Amino acid sequence: MARSSNREKILTEGLRLMHQRGFASASVRDIVQAAGVPQGSFTNHFASKEAFGLEVIDLYCHGIRTFNDETLNNAGLPPDRRLRNWVAGAAGGSCDGCLLGNFAAGGCEQSEPIRQRVASAFAETRTALAACLHAAGQAGMLRPGLDHDDVAGFLLASIQGASLLARVTQDPAPLRGIDRLLLATILTSPAPANDHLLH
């Protein structure tokens, strides 16, 4: 029972530290100290730092899937509302940036399995975006002539870029207003005046 509890503590604190510092800068010593467990607990539960990093990514991706299901995949909402909610939520992060983006910027070159896992996670969100954009196009909510997959890549890259700039500058300014700016370029309908989205 104690072992299971220590494992969860290590994962929780490891995710937090790697989100703040990146994969390379968060050492095993830092992680176990933050979790308040002996260093031996780490090796009891994880074969390597790389194996641990993969589990951290999986844990983070569980939250992303939940968010995507509540927004992009939510068939109870019209497609433009789903897109607005996703962009607003994705752009509403902190100066720590996106953990996947942080791994991509400072961890993927050290590990091919981590690179593949991060790439797969980005591809999953891009696929969900493209499907929602396709639905928006069918409903006449998307500007004509746009390729759904290209726009999905544009939205994902824009949010990731803004998040990375916010992290580097430690200033949320790059994220402010990007949701409305991005959506104004692809949707035919303006946001409602009382639209608070996820903010």
Side-chain angles (χ1 to χ4, degrees):
M1 193 75 173
R3 284 192 169 192
S4 176
S5 176
N6 283 350
R7 190 178 197 282
E8 295 307 311
K9 285 181 186 177
I10 295 168
L11 276 170
T12 299
E13 289 302 319
L15 190 155
R16 183 182 64 80
L17 282 178
M18 287 184 173
H19 199 171
Q20 288 179 345
R21 304 181 189 179
F23 176 76
S25 298
S27 70
V28 171
R29 183 187 297 271
D30 293 335
I31 293 165
V32 295
Q33 284 181 348
V37 301
Q39 188 146 346
S41 290
F42 188 94
T43 53
N44 283 342
H45 296 296
F46 308 100
S48 65
K49 186 181 175 185
E50 178 184 71
F52 177 73
L54 290 169
E55 290 209 39
V56 164
I57 292 169
D58 287 344
L59 182 61
Y60 188 76
C61 285
H62 177 74
I64 289 177
R65 289 188 191 100
T66 299
F67 173 62
N68 287 347
D69 284 344
E70 292 171 350
T71 55
L72 298 173
N73 302 326
N74 185 352
L77 294 175
D80 61 338
R81 166 60 56 177
R82 290 184 244 162
L83 284 166
R84 291 184 191 284
N85 285 349
W86 183 87
V87 173
S94 70
C95 290
D96 288 337
C98 167
L99 182 132
L100 296 177
N102 296 348
F103 266 70
C108 287
E109 72 278 3
Q110 300 177 24
S111 166
E112 179 61 14
I114 284 178
R115 185 198 68 76
Q116 291 180 1
R117 194 71 57 87
V118 170
S120 175
F122 280 140
E124 188 176 329
T125 291
R126 181 170 175 157
T127 297
L129 274 166
C132 189
L133 286 160
H134 178 71
Q138 288 189 318
M141 298 171 173
L142 205 63
R143 295 189 184 279
L146 295 178
D147 180 89
H148 305 140
D149 192 57
D150 285 347
V151 175
F154 165 71
L155 289 174
L156 189 58
S158 298
I159 294 293
Q160 285 297 318
S163 295
L164 185 59
L165 283 172
R167 177 177 173 80
V168 169
T169 61
Q170 283 299 289
D171 183 346
L175 290 165
R176 289 192 196 114
I178 193 172
D179 50 349
R180 298 185 190 282
L181 181 61
L182 288 174
L183 291 167
T185 66
I186 63 170
L187 294 177
T188 56
S189 57
N194 63 346
D195 191 1
H196 298 296
L197 301 175
L198 295 182
H199 291 316

PDB file of all heavy atoms in Angstrom, residues 150-189:
ATOM      1  N   ASP A 150      -4.937  21.144 -42.541  1.00  0.00           N
ATOM      2  CA  ASP A 150      -3.982  22.255 -42.489  1.00  0.00           C
ATOM      3  C   ASP A 150      -4.347  23.247 -41.381  1.00  0.00           C
ATOM      4  O   ASP A 150      -3.476  23.736 -40.654  1.00  0.00           O
ATOM      5  CB  ASP A 150      -3.939  22.991 -43.833  1.00  0.00           C
ATOM      6  CG  ASP A 150      -3.195  22.220 -44.909  1.00  0.00           C
ATOM      7  OD1 ASP A 150      -2.507  21.237 -44.562  1.00  0.00           O
ATOM      8  OD2 ASP A 150      -3.310  22.596 -46.096  1.00  0.00           O
ATOM      9  N   VAL A 151      -5.635  23.546 -41.262  1.00  0.00           N
ATOM     10  CA  VAL A 151      -6.077  24.491 -40.227  1.00  0.00           C
ATOM     11  C   VAL A 151      -5.866  23.895 -38.842  1.00  0.00           C
ATOM     12  O   VAL A 151      -5.470  24.598 -37.905  1.00  0.00           O
ATOM     13  CB  VAL A 151      -7.559  24.888 -40.439  1.00  0.00           C
ATOM     14  CG1 VAL A 151      -8.043  25.763 -39.287  1.00  0.00           C
ATOM     15  CG2 VAL A 151      -7.718  25.629 -41.754  1.00  0.00           C
ATOM     16  N   ALA A 152      -6.097  22.584 -38.702  1.00  0.00           N
ATOM     17  CA  ALA A 152      -5.848  21.927 -37.415  1.00  0.00           C
ATOM     18  C   ALA A 152      -4.382  22.077 -37.025  1.00  0.00           C
ATOM     19  O   ALA A 152      -4.061  22.391 -35.877  1.00  0.00           O
ATOM     20  CB  ALA A 152      -6.238  20.445 -37.502  1.00  0.00           C
ATOM     21  N   GLY A 153      -3.487  21.865 -37.985  1.00  0.00           N
ATOM     22  CA  GLY A 153      -2.062  22.035 -37.716  1.00  0.00           C
ATOM     23  C   GLY A 153      -1.722  23.472 -37.370  1.00  0.00           C
ATOM     24  O   GLY A 153      -0.901  23.736 -36.484  1.00  0.00           O
ATOM     25  N   PHE A 154      -2.361  24.426 -38.051  1.00  0.00           N
ATOM     26  CA  PHE A 154      -2.141  25.849 -37.790  1.00  0.00           C
ATOM     27  C   PHE A 154      -2.566  26.224 -36.370  1.00  0.00           C
ATOM     28  O   PHE A 154      -1.836  26.919 -35.648  1.00  0.00           O
ATOM     29  CB  PHE A 154      -2.928  26.673 -38.823  1.00  0.00           C
ATOM     30  CG  PHE A 154      -3.086  28.127 -38.478  1.00  0.00           C
ATOM     31  CD1 PHE A 154      -2.009  29.001 -38.532  1.00  0.00           C
ATOM     32  CD2 PHE A 154      -4.333  28.621 -38.115  1.00  0.00           C
ATOM     33  CE1 PHE A 154      -2.171  30.352 -38.221  1.00  0.00           C
ATOM     34  CE2 PHE A 154      -4.506  29.963 -37.804  1.00  0.00           C
ATOM     35  CZ  PHE A 154      -3.415  30.834 -37.855  1.00  0.00           C
ATOM     36  N   LEU A 155      -3.754  25.754 -35.961  1.00  0.00           N
ATOM     37  CA  LEU A 155      -4.236  26.055 -34.617  1.00  0.00           C
ATOM     38  C   LEU A 155      -3.314  25.466 -33.554  1.00  0.00           C
ATOM     39  O   LEU A 155      -2.943  26.139 -32.584  1.00  0.00           O
ATOM     40  CB  LEU A 155      -5.654  25.516 -34.427  1.00  0.00           C
ATOM     41  CG  LEU A 155      -6.777  26.233 -35.174  1.00  0.00           C
ATOM     42  CD1 LEU A 155      -8.089  25.481 -35.001  1.00  0.00           C
ATOM     43  CD2 LEU A 155      -6.916  27.668 -34.692  1.00  0.00           C
ATOM     44  N   LEU A 156      -2.938  24.204 -33.737  1.00  0.00           N
ATOM     45  CA  LEU A 156      -2.083  23.536 -32.763  1.00  0.00           C
ATOM     46  C   LEU A 156      -0.722  24.218 -32.677  1.00  0.00           C
ATOM     47  O   LEU A 156      -0.209  24.481 -31.580  1.00  0.00           O
ATOM     48  CB  LEU A 156      -1.931  22.062 -33.147  1.00  0.00           C
ATOM     49  CG  LEU A 156      -1.240  21.143 -32.150  1.00  0.00           C
ATOM     50  CD1 LEU A 156      -1.948  21.147 -30.798  1.00  0.00           C
ATOM     51  CD2 LEU A 156      -1.180  19.721 -32.703  1.00  0.00           C
ATOM     52  N   ALA A 157      -0.126  24.524 -33.836  1.00  0.00           N
ATOM     53  CA  ALA A 157       1.189  25.163 -33.850  1.00  0.00           C
ATOM     54  C   ALA A 157       1.130  26.565 -33.251  1.00  0.00           C
ATOM     55  O   ALA A 157       2.060  26.988 -32.537  1.00  0.00           O
ATOM     56  CB  ALA A 157       1.724  25.222 -35.285  1.00  0.00           C
ATOM     57  N   SER A 158       0.059  27.285 -33.510  1.00  0.00           N
ATOM     58  CA  SER A 158      -0.077  28.651 -32.975  1.00  0.00           C
ATOM     59  C   SER A 158      -0.169  28.651 -31.455  1.00  0.00           C
ATOM     60  O   SER A 158       0.484  29.455 -30.782  1.00  0.00           O
ATOM     61  CB  SER A 158      -1.311  29.329 -33.575  1.00  0.00           C
ATOM     62  OG  SER A 158      -1.185  29.453 -34.965  1.00  0.00           O
ATOM     63  N   ILE A 159      -0.985  27.757 -30.920  1.00  0.00           N
ATOM     64  CA  ILE A 159      -1.130  27.660 -29.470  1.00  0.00           C
ATOM     65  C   ILE A 159       0.189  27.226 -28.832  1.00  0.00           C
ATOM     66  O   ILE A 159       0.625  27.780 -27.815  1.00  0.00           O
ATOM     67  CB  ILE A 159      -2.255  26.668 -29.093  1.00  0.00           C
ATOM     68  CG1 ILE A 159      -3.623  27.198 -29.551  1.00  0.00           C
ATOM     69  CG2 ILE A 159      -2.252  26.391 -27.590  1.00  0.00           C
ATOM     70  CD1 ILE A 159      -4.094  28.434 -28.820  1.00  0.00           C
ATOM     71  N   GLN A 160       0.841  26.232 -29.432  1.00  0.00           N
ATOM     72  CA  GLN A 160       2.117  25.762 -28.883  1.00  0.00           C
ATOM     73  C   GLN A 160       3.176  26.861 -28.938  1.00  0.00           C
ATOM     74  O   GLN A 160       3.957  27.036 -27.998  1.00  0.00           O
ATOM     75  CB  GLN A 160       2.596  24.518 -29.638  1.00  0.00           C
ATOM     76  CG  GLN A 160       1.837  23.260 -29.285  1.00  0.00           C
ATOM     77  CD  GLN A 160       2.015  22.861 -27.829  1.00  0.00           C
ATOM     78  OE1 GLN A 160       3.116  22.936 -27.279  1.00  0.00           O
ATOM     79  NE2 GLN A 160       0.942  22.440 -27.196  1.00  0.00           N
ATOM     80  N   GLY A 161       3.206  27.603 -30.037  1.00  0.00           N
ATOM     81  CA  GLY A 161       4.175  28.689 -30.156  1.00  0.00           C
ATOM     82  C   GLY A 161       3.949  29.785 -29.128  1.00  0.00           C
ATOM     83  O   GLY A 161       4.895  30.279 -28.505  1.00  0.00           O
ATOM     84  N   ALA A 162       2.702  30.158 -28.940  1.00  0.00           N
ATOM     85  CA  ALA A 162       2.373  31.182 -27.950  1.00  0.00           C
ATOM     86  C   ALA A 162       2.712  30.703 -26.543  1.00  0.00           C
ATOM     87  O   ALA A 162       3.216  31.472 -25.715  1.00  0.00           O
ATOM     88  CB  ALA A 162       0.894  31.559 -28.046  1.00  0.00           C
ATOM     89  N   SER A 163       2.448  29.421 -26.266  1.00  0.00           N
ATOM     90  CA  SER A 163       2.761  28.861 -24.949  1.00  0.00           C
ATOM     91  C   SER A 163       4.276  28.865 -24.700  1.00  0.00           C
ATOM     92  O   SER A 163       4.729  29.164 -23.596  1.00  0.00           O
ATOM     93  CB  SER A 163       2.230  27.425 -24.834  1.00  0.00           C
ATOM     94  OG  SER A 163       0.826  27.405 -24.882  1.00  0.00           O
ATOM     95  N   LEU A 164       5.042  28.540 -25.739  1.00  0.00           N
ATOM     96  CA  LEU A 164       6.496  28.528 -25.601  1.00  0.00           C
ATOM     97  C   LEU A 164       7.036  29.934 -25.367  1.00  0.00           C
ATOM     98  O   LEU A 164       7.912  30.143 -24.529  1.00  0.00           O
ATOM     99  CB  LEU A 164       7.130  27.918 -26.860  1.00  0.00           C
ATOM    100  CG  LEU A 164       8.639  27.712 -26.823  1.00  0.00           C
ATOM    101  CD1 LEU A 164       9.055  26.803 -25.670  1.00  0.00           C
ATOM    102  CD2 LEU A 164       9.123  27.139 -28.150  1.00  0.00           C
ATOM    103  N   LEU A 165       6.490  30.914 -26.091  1.00  0.00           N
ATOM    104  CA  LEU A 165       6.906  32.301 -25.875  1.00  0.00           C
ATOM    105  C   LEU A 165       6.566  32.764 -24.464  1.00  0.00           C
ATOM    106  O   LEU A 165       7.366  33.456 -23.810  1.00  0.00           O
ATOM    107  CB  LEU A 165       6.237  33.222 -26.900  1.00  0.00           C
ATOM    108  CG  LEU A 165       6.810  33.211 -28.317  1.00  0.00           C
ATOM    109  CD1 LEU A 165       5.922  34.021 -29.247  1.00  0.00           C
ATOM    110  CD2 LEU A 165       8.228  33.765 -28.330  1.00  0.00           C
ATOM    111  N   ALA A 166       5.393  32.401 -23.980  1.00  0.00           N
ATOM    112  CA  ALA A 166       4.996  32.774 -22.618  1.00  0.00           C
ATOM    113  C   ALA A 166       5.946  32.155 -21.605  1.00  0.00           C
ATOM    114  O   ALA A 166       6.317  32.782 -20.608  1.00  0.00           O
ATOM    115  CB  ALA A 166       3.561  32.328 -22.338  1.00  0.00           C
ATOM    116  N   ARG A 167       6.380  30.924 -21.855  1.00  0.00           N
ATOM    117  CA  ARG A 167       7.310  30.247 -20.948  1.00  0.00           C
ATOM    118  C   ARG A 167       8.671  30.927 -20.954  1.00  0.00           C
ATOM    119  O   ARG A 167       9.263  31.183 -19.912  1.00  0.00           O
ATOM    120  CB  ARG A 167       7.445  28.775 -21.355  1.00  0.00           C
ATOM    121  CG  ARG A 167       8.443  27.983 -20.520  1.00  0.00           C
ATOM    122  CD  ARG A 167       8.462  26.523 -20.940  1.00  0.00           C
ATOM    123  NE  ARG A 167       9.514  25.787 -20.281  1.00  0.00           N
ATOM    124  CZ  ARG A 167       9.448  25.309 -19.040  1.00  0.00           C
ATOM    125  NH1 ARG A 167       8.365  25.511 -18.327  1.00  0.00           N
ATOM    126  NH2 ARG A 167      10.454  24.641 -18.522  1.00  0.00           N
ATOM    127  N   VAL A 168       9.177  31.236 -22.143  1.00  0.00           N
ATOM    128  CA  VAL A 168      10.512  31.840 -22.262  1.00  0.00           C
ATOM    129  C   VAL A 168      10.545  33.238 -21.649  1.00  0.00           C
ATOM    130  O   VAL A 168      11.495  33.606 -20.959  1.00  0.00           O
ATOM    131  CB  VAL A 168      10.944  31.886 -23.744  1.00  0.00           C
ATOM    132  CG1 VAL A 168      12.184  32.745 -23.920  1.00  0.00           C
ATOM    133  CG2 VAL A 168      11.214  30.478 -24.257  1.00  0.00           C
ATOM    134  N   THR A 169       9.488  34.011 -21.893  1.00  0.00           N
ATOM    135  CA  THR A 169       9.460  35.387 -21.385  1.00  0.00           C
ATOM    136  C   THR A 169       8.907  35.495 -19.969  1.00  0.00           C
ATOM    137  O   THR A 169       9.012  36.541 -19.345  1.00  0.00           O
ATOM    138  CB  THR A 169       8.600  36.270 -22.306  1.00  0.00           C
ATOM    139  OG1 THR A 169       7.248  35.757 -22.334  1.00  0.00           O
ATOM    140  CG2 THR A 169       9.159  36.289 -23.718  1.00  0.00           C
ATOM    141  N   GLN A 170       8.308  34.381 -19.475  1.00  0.00           N
ATOM    142  CA  GLN A 170       7.607  34.385 -18.186  1.00  0.00           C
ATOM    143  C   GLN A 170       6.578  35.510 -18.130  1.00  0.00           C
ATOM    144  O   GLN A 170       6.427  36.215 -17.133  1.00  0.00           O
ATOM    145  CB  GLN A 170       8.607  34.491 -17.026  1.00  0.00           C
ATOM    146  CG  GLN A 170       9.321  33.177 -16.728  1.00  0.00           C
ATOM    147  CD  GLN A 170       8.337  32.075 -16.311  1.00  0.00           C
ATOM    148  OE1 GLN A 170       7.770  32.120 -15.223  1.00  0.00           O
ATOM    149  NE2 GLN A 170       8.129  31.088 -17.181  1.00  0.00           N
ATOM    150  N   ASP A 171       5.871  35.644 -19.243  1.00  0.00           N
ATOM    151  CA  ASP A 171       4.852  36.677 -19.394  1.00  0.00           C
ATOM    152  C   ASP A 171       3.711  36.070 -20.210  1.00  0.00           C
ATOM    153  O   ASP A 171       3.945  35.559 -21.311  1.00  0.00           O
ATOM    154  CB  ASP A 171       5.447  37.879 -20.130  1.00  0.00           C
ATOM    155  CG  ASP A 171       4.480  39.045 -20.262  1.00  0.00           C
ATOM    156  OD1 ASP A 171       3.264  38.858 -20.035  1.00  0.00           O
ATOM    157  OD2 ASP A 171       4.932  40.155 -20.607  1.00  0.00           O
ATOM    158  N   PRO A 172       2.475  36.094 -19.694  1.00  0.00           N
ATOM    159  CA  PRO A 172       1.356  35.479 -20.428  1.00  0.00           C
ATOM    160  C   PRO A 172       0.883  36.282 -21.631  1.00  0.00           C
ATOM    161  O   PRO A 172      -0.047  35.863 -22.322  1.00  0.00           O
ATOM    162  CB  PRO A 172       0.258  35.392 -19.359  1.00  0.00           C
ATOM    163  CG  PRO A 172       0.553  36.519 -18.424  1.00  0.00           C
ATOM    164  CD  PRO A 172       2.053  36.641 -18.397  1.00  0.00           C
ATOM    165  N   ALA A 173       1.532  37.432 -21.920  1.00  0.00           N
ATOM    166  CA  ALA A 173       1.082  38.303 -23.010  1.00  0.00           C
ATOM    167  C   ALA A 173       0.900  37.581 -24.348  1.00  0.00           C
ATOM    168  O   ALA A 173      -0.080  37.843 -25.050  1.00  0.00           O
ATOM    169  CB  ALA A 173       2.040  39.488 -23.168  1.00  0.00           C
ATOM    170  N   PRO A 174       1.810  36.663 -24.752  1.00  0.00           N
ATOM    171  CA  PRO A 174       1.603  35.994 -26.046  1.00  0.00           C
ATOM    172  C   PRO A 174       0.306  35.191 -26.127  1.00  0.00           C
ATOM    173  O   PRO A 174      -0.187  34.922 -27.224  1.00  0.00           O
ATOM    174  CB  PRO A 174       2.821  35.062 -26.156  1.00  0.00           C
ATOM    175  CG  PRO A 174       3.863  35.691 -25.303  1.00  0.00           C
ATOM    176  CD  PRO A 174       3.107  36.311 -24.155  1.00  0.00           C
ATOM    177  N   LEU A 175      -0.254  34.810 -24.970  1.00  0.00           N
ATOM    178  CA  LEU A 175      -1.486  34.019 -24.958  1.00  0.00           C
ATOM    179  C   LEU A 175      -2.739  34.886 -24.915  1.00  0.00           C
ATOM    180  O   LEU A 175      -3.834  34.408 -25.215  1.00  0.00           O
ATOM    181  CB  LEU A 175      -1.475  33.080 -23.741  1.00  0.00           C
ATOM    182  CG  LEU A 175      -0.466  31.932 -23.794  1.00  0.00           C
ATOM    183  CD1 LEU A 175      -0.293  31.314 -22.418  1.00  0.00           C
ATOM    184  CD2 LEU A 175      -0.889  30.881 -24.809  1.00  0.00           C
ATOM    185  N   ARG A 176      -2.582  36.156 -24.549  1.00  0.00           N
ATOM    186  CA  ARG A 176      -3.748  37.023 -24.403  1.00  0.00           C
ATOM    187  C   ARG A 176      -4.365  37.340 -25.762  1.00  0.00           C
ATOM    188  O   ARG A 176      -3.707  37.870 -26.643  1.00  0.00           O
ATOM    189  CB  ARG A 176      -3.362  38.331 -23.710  1.00  0.00           C
ATOM    190  CG  ARG A 176      -3.036  38.172 -22.244  1.00  0.00           C
ATOM    191  CD  ARG A 176      -2.953  39.536 -21.550  1.00  0.00           C
ATOM    192  NE  ARG A 176      -2.276  39.415 -20.278  1.00  0.00           N
ATOM    193  CZ  ARG A 176      -1.103  39.974 -19.999  1.00  0.00           C
ATOM    194  NH1 ARG A 176      -0.485  40.710 -20.900  1.00  0.00           N
ATOM    195  NH2 ARG A 176      -0.562  39.813 -18.804  1.00  0.00           N
ATOM    196  N   GLY A 177      -5.618  37.024 -25.903  1.00  0.00           N
ATOM    197  CA  GLY A 177      -6.334  37.379 -27.121  1.00  0.00           C
ATOM    198  C   GLY A 177      -6.060  36.477 -28.305  1.00  0.00           C
ATOM    199  O   GLY A 177      -6.689  36.638 -29.355  1.00  0.00           O
ATOM    200  N   ILE A 178      -5.132  35.520 -28.168  1.00  0.00           N
ATOM    201  CA  ILE A 178      -4.828  34.674 -29.324  1.00  0.00           C
ATOM    202  C   ILE A 178      -6.021  33.811 -29.697  1.00  0.00           C
ATOM    203  O   ILE A 178      -6.220  33.482 -30.867  1.00  0.00           O
ATOM    204  CB  ILE A 178      -3.574  33.809 -29.067  1.00  0.00           C
ATOM    205  CG1 ILE A 178      -3.099  33.180 -30.397  1.00  0.00           C
ATOM    206  CG2 ILE A 178      -3.829  32.741 -28.019  1.00  0.00           C
ATOM    207  CD1 ILE A 178      -1.781  32.462 -30.306  1.00  0.00           C
ATOM    208  N   ASP A 179      -6.856  33.470 -28.713  1.00  0.00           N
ATOM    209  CA  ASP A 179      -8.026  32.656 -29.027  1.00  0.00           C
ATOM    210  C   ASP A 179      -8.941  33.378 -30.007  1.00  0.00           C
ATOM    211  O   ASP A 179      -9.329  32.828 -31.045  1.00  0.00           O
ATOM    212  CB  ASP A 179      -8.771  32.245 -27.748  1.00  0.00           C
ATOM    213  CG  ASP A 179      -9.068  33.402 -26.814  1.00  0.00           C
ATOM    214  OD1 ASP A 179      -8.533  34.509 -27.032  1.00  0.00           O
ATOM    215  OD2 ASP A 179      -9.843  33.200 -25.867  1.00  0.00           O
ATOM    216  N   ARG A 180      -9.254  34.621 -29.733  1.00  0.00           N
ATOM    217  CA  ARG A 180     -10.162  35.365 -30.614  1.00  0.00           C
ATOM    218  C   ARG A 180      -9.504  35.671 -31.960  1.00  0.00           C
ATOM    219  O   ARG A 180     -10.151  35.639 -33.009  1.00  0.00           O
ATOM    220  CB  ARG A 180     -10.630  36.637 -29.925  1.00  0.00           C
ATOM    221  CG  ARG A 180     -11.412  36.345 -28.654  1.00  0.00           C
ATOM    222  CD  ARG A 180     -11.988  37.590 -28.006  1.00  0.00           C
ATOM    223  NE  ARG A 180     -12.519  37.261 -26.696  1.00  0.00           N
ATOM    224  CZ  ARG A 180     -13.683  36.657 -26.482  1.00  0.00           C
ATOM    225  NH1 ARG A 180     -14.438  36.315 -27.504  1.00  0.00           N
ATOM    226  NH2 ARG A 180     -14.094  36.402 -25.262  1.00  0.00           N
ATOM    227  N   LEU A 181      -8.210  35.963 -31.938  1.00  0.00           N
ATOM    228  CA  LEU A 181      -7.499  36.252 -33.185  1.00  0.00           C
ATOM    229  C   LEU A 181      -7.480  35.038 -34.099  1.00  0.00           C
ATOM    230  O   LEU A 181      -7.756  35.139 -35.307  1.00  0.00           O
ATOM    231  CB  LEU A 181      -6.065  36.686 -32.860  1.00  0.00           C
ATOM    232  CG  LEU A 181      -5.171  37.047 -34.046  1.00  0.00           C
ATOM    233  CD1 LEU A 181      -5.754  38.226 -34.804  1.00  0.00           C
ATOM    234  CD2 LEU A 181      -3.762  37.359 -33.582  1.00  0.00           C
ATOM    235  N   LEU A 182      -7.176  33.866 -33.552  1.00  0.00           N
ATOM    236  CA  LEU A 182      -7.128  32.658 -34.366  1.00  0.00           C
ATOM    237  C   LEU A 182      -8.497  32.327 -34.935  1.00  0.00           C
ATOM    238  O   LEU A 182      -8.633  32.016 -36.125  1.00  0.00           O
ATOM    239  CB  LEU A 182      -6.625  31.479 -33.522  1.00  0.00           C
ATOM    240  CG  LEU A 182      -5.145  31.474 -33.150  1.00  0.00           C
ATOM    241  CD1 LEU A 182      -4.845  30.324 -32.202  1.00  0.00           C
ATOM    242  CD2 LEU A 182      -4.274  31.359 -34.396  1.00  0.00           C
ATOM    243  N   LEU A 183      -9.522  32.388 -34.091  1.00  0.00           N
ATOM    244  CA  LEU A 183     -10.852  31.994 -34.537  1.00  0.00           C
ATOM    245  C   LEU A 183     -11.438  32.976 -35.544  1.00  0.00           C
ATOM    246  O   LEU A 183     -12.191  32.584 -36.424  1.00  0.00           O
ATOM    247  CB  LEU A 183     -11.776  31.832 -33.328  1.00  0.00           C
ATOM    248  CG  LEU A 183     -11.405  30.625 -32.448  1.00  0.00           C
ATOM    249  CD1 LEU A 183     -12.135  30.683 -31.121  1.00  0.00           C
ATOM    250  CD2 LEU A 183     -11.704  29.316 -33.156  1.00  0.00           C
ATOM    251  N   ALA A 184     -11.048  34.246 -35.424  1.00  0.00           N
ATOM    252  CA  ALA A 184     -11.544  35.244 -36.373  1.00  0.00           C
ATOM    253  C   ALA A 184     -11.033  34.967 -37.783  1.00  0.00           C
ATOM    254  O   ALA A 184     -11.650  35.376 -38.769  1.00  0.00           O
ATOM    255  CB  ALA A 184     -11.112  36.643 -35.937  1.00  0.00           C
ATOM    256  N   THR A 185      -9.923  34.248 -37.895  1.00  0.00           N
ATOM    257  CA  THR A 185      -9.357  33.965 -39.217  1.00  0.00           C
ATOM    258  C   THR A 185      -9.983  32.737 -39.878  1.00  0.00           C
ATOM    259  O   THR A 185      -9.809  32.551 -41.076  1.00  0.00           O
ATOM    260  CB  THR A 185      -7.835  33.736 -39.119  1.00  0.00           C
ATOM    261  OG1 THR A 185      -7.567  32.536 -38.381  1.00  0.00           O
ATOM    262  CG2 THR A 185      -7.137  34.899 -38.466  1.00  0.00           C
ATOM    263  N   ILE A 186     -10.683  31.911 -39.095  1.00  0.00           N
ATOM    264  CA  ILE A 186     -11.198  30.667 -39.690  1.00  0.00           C
ATOM    265  C   ILE A 186     -12.715  30.523 -39.625  1.00  0.00           C
ATOM    266  O   ILE A 186     -13.299  29.838 -40.465  1.00  0.00           O
ATOM    267  CB  ILE A 186     -10.547  29.428 -39.042  1.00  0.00           C
ATOM    268  CG1 ILE A 186     -10.889  29.330 -37.548  1.00  0.00           C
ATOM    269  CG2 ILE A 186      -9.047  29.422 -39.253  1.00  0.00           C
ATOM    270  CD1 ILE A 186     -10.480  28.003 -36.916  1.00  0.00           C
ATOM    271  N   LEU A 187     -13.376  31.152 -38.641  1.00  0.00           N
ATOM    272  CA  LEU A 187     -14.825  30.988 -38.493  1.00  0.00           C
ATOM    273  C   LEU A 187     -15.574  32.122 -39.173  1.00  0.00           C
ATOM    274  O   LEU A 187     -15.119  33.266 -39.190  1.00  0.00           O
ATOM    275  CB  LEU A 187     -15.209  30.919 -37.024  1.00  0.00           C
ATOM    276  CG  LEU A 187     -14.709  29.705 -36.234  1.00  0.00           C
ATOM    277  CD1 LEU A 187     -15.122  29.819 -34.770  1.00  0.00           C
ATOM    278  CD2 LEU A 187     -15.230  28.402 -36.834  1.00  0.00           C
ATOM    279  N   THR A 188     -16.741  31.806 -39.712  1.00  0.00           N
ATOM    280  CA  THR A 188     -17.548  32.833 -40.368  1.00  0.00           C
ATOM    281  C   THR A 188     -18.364  33.638 -39.371  1.00  0.00           C
ATOM    282  O   THR A 188     -18.722  34.779 -39.630  1.00  0.00           O
ATOM    283  CB  THR A 188     -18.512  32.189 -41.390  1.00  0.00           C
ATOM    284  OG1 THR A 188     -19.312  31.212 -40.715  1.00  0.00           O
ATOM    285  CG2 THR A 188     -17.735  31.520 -42.515  1.00  0.00           C
ATOM    286  N   SER A 189     -18.663  33.042 -38.216  1.00  0.00           N
ATOM    287  CA  SER A 189     -19.513  33.722 -37.242  1.00  0.00           C
ATOM    288  C   SER A 189     -18.672  34.362 -36.146  1.00  0.00           C
ATOM    289  O   SER A 189     -17.729  33.750 -35.636  1.00  0.00           O
ATOM    290  CB  SER A 189     -20.489  32.726 -36.601  1.00  0.00           C
ATOM    291  OG  SER A 189     -19.768  31.662 -35.999  1.00  0.00           O
TER     292      SER A 189
END
